[in-house]
Amino acid sequence: MLGKTHIVNSLAIASTPLLITQFNERYALLTCLFVLGCITPDIDEPKSIIGRNFKLISKTINYFFGHRTITHNIPLILITIFLSFYFDKILLVVFFTGCLVHIMQDSLTWGGIEYGLFPFRYRKYHLLRYGLRFKVGSKTESIIYYMSALYIVSILLYVQPF
């Protein structure tokens, strides 16, 4: 998926709790971490939103592993577990959940996830059957993007301010 679709989808998911809770500073922080988690796995693509901001890291990962490999599989989980010893676990869980949402979204596309369960299994995997997948940047992705945006707007219209 395109970066903008990952961001809007993650905002749509993160805005859902606003139906039953109040917006506050903690909620804003968790939403930002969730969105950051939703774009972080694409650090292995130099042209991605996050890859353009961390060019050296992005180009290095892409050169050695390619796109949708190491940052979309088990090594990301291991790094997250390691970081959990040094950071607030709730914040890390929210960030990691954003990463998992990103990986699930990418597995809906034609490209799928390279080397599913990397480094233990060297096959692509998809969440959808062959005929239901869509191409990155296609009209189907645009529909997903705009439907997520409309969902966010409808929630914001429903929610009462502070």
Side-chain angles (χ1 to χ4, degrees), residues 61-73:
I61 294 172
N62 190 278
Y63 178 78
F64 286 107
F65 300 103
H67 182 48
R68 291 187 183 177
T69 56
I70 193 167
T71 60
H72 286 67
N73 288 289

Side-chain angles (χ1 to χ4, degrees), residues 35-95:
V35 171
L36 181 63
C38 264
I39 62 171
T40 297
D42 274 343
I43 197 163
D44 62 0
E45 174 56 51
K47 295 178 183 174
S48 69
I49 292 171
I50 195 163
R52 288 187 302 242
N53 292 305
F54 297 95
K55 289 180 183 176
L56 181 63
I57 296 170
S58 180
K59 287 181 180 181
T60 304
I61 294 172
N62 190 278
Y63 178 78
F64 286 107
F65 300 103
H67 182 48
R68 291 187 183 177
T69 56
I70 193 167
T71 60
H72 286 67
N73 288 289
I74 291 175
L76 179 67
I77 297 168
L78 296 176
I79 291 168
T80 305
I81 290 169
F82 174 75
L83 291 174
S84 71
F85 295 110
Y86 300 101
F87 296 102
D88 183 0
K89 290 185 182 13
I90 295 296
L91 300 179
L92 205 58
V93 165
V94 170
F95 175 80

Side-chain angles (χ1 to χ4, degrees), residues 7-23 27 30-31 34-35 101 147-160:
I7 291 170
V8 170
N9 283 342
S10 64
L11 286 172
I13 293 167
S15 65
T16 302
L18 286 174
L19 295 171
I20 58 172
T21 189
Q22 287 285 329
F23 184 83
Y27 189 90
L30 295 177
T31 300
F34 186 75
V35 171
V101 167
M147 293 298 286
S148 295
L150 284 172
Y151 179 77
I152 294 168
V153 169
S154 66
I155 286 181
L156 293 177
L157 291 174
Y158 173 79
V159 172
Q160 299 297 319

